[in-house]
Amino acid sequence: MTKQGSPWAAATLEDLEGAVEVLFFPSTYQACMSLIIDDAIVVVKGRLDRREEVPKLVAMEVSAPELPADGQGPFVVSIMEARCVPPVVDRLREVLRTHPGATEVHLRLLTGSRTKVVRLDDKLRVRPSPSLLADLKQLLGPACVG
């Protein structure tokens, strides 16, 4: 809350390359508060504030992007970062290679309350199918996809 009692927010905006803190001052926050939720995909337009050592983005406009509804988005596999040891990574690569296709694969690495998403090499694109899901769930557990 501001001194005048108006709500505002600060959030971390992440993409595949990095993260930046975003400040949503009252007028912008009122207009976009329903879009600012964990793991939401948003487009933020604003100005860069470089007054401090770590730059921040001051949001001026926030919107939800138009995403294709045809399932052409990336195939996301979640795994605890601590489980990313060579034998598991090698087996994951083998599973993905046995289901070749055109869909990009993103690996969501989970570490406590933090999440990092890594786009895998184009050589590991897949064709989503029930057998791929079964193979991944057998290797990584039931919560690794979906």
Side-chain angles (χ1 to χ4, degrees):
M1 296 296 231
T2 64
K3 291 179 184 176
Q4 293 78 30
S6 301
W8 69 281
T12 302
L13 180 67
E14 298 177 319
D15 66 6
L16 296 176
E17 303 297 320
V20 65
E21 184 176 6
V22 181
L23 303 176
F24 300 90
F25 291 124
S27 61
T28 305
Y29 183 67
Q30 283 291 343
C32 71
M33 70 168 73
S34 64
L35 297 173
I36 305 172
I37 56 175
D38 282 342
D39 295 326
I41 299 173
V42 294
V43 175
V44 178
K45 293 181 182 178
R47 66 177 171 76
L48 196 58
D49 180 352
R50 295 180 186 217
R51 288 181 280 176
E52 296 180 27
E53 187 175 320
V54 177
K56 296 178 182 177
L57 184 64
V58 177
M60 308 301 263
E61 197 178 306
V62 181
S63 61
E66 297 271 335
L67 298 175
D70 57 7
Q72 294 300 313
F75 183 79
V76 180
V77 178
S78 298
I79 183 173
M80 293 300 294
E81 191 168 10
R83 290 207 54 213
C84 284
V85 294
V88 174
V89 172
D90 290 344
R91 179 72 182 113
L92 174 60
R93 185 179 300 121
E94 184 180 315
V95 167
L96 296 175
R97 284 186 176 149
T98 61
H99 299 275
T103 304
E104 187 175 276
V105 178
H106 289 183
L107 190 59
R108 181 183 295 138
L109 301 170
L110 310 170
T111 309
S113 63
R114 295 201 40 92
T115 299
K116 181 178 181 180
V117 178
V118 179
R119 182 175 59 95
L120 298 185
D121 190 285
D122 284 342
K123 295 175 188 163
L124 295 175
R125 287 182 176 239
V126 297
R127 182 182 52 80
S129 66
S131 62
L132 171 61
L133 296 177
D135 289 349
L136 288 170
K137 287 178 180 182
Q138 182 179 9
L139 175 65
L140 303 173
C144 71
V145 291

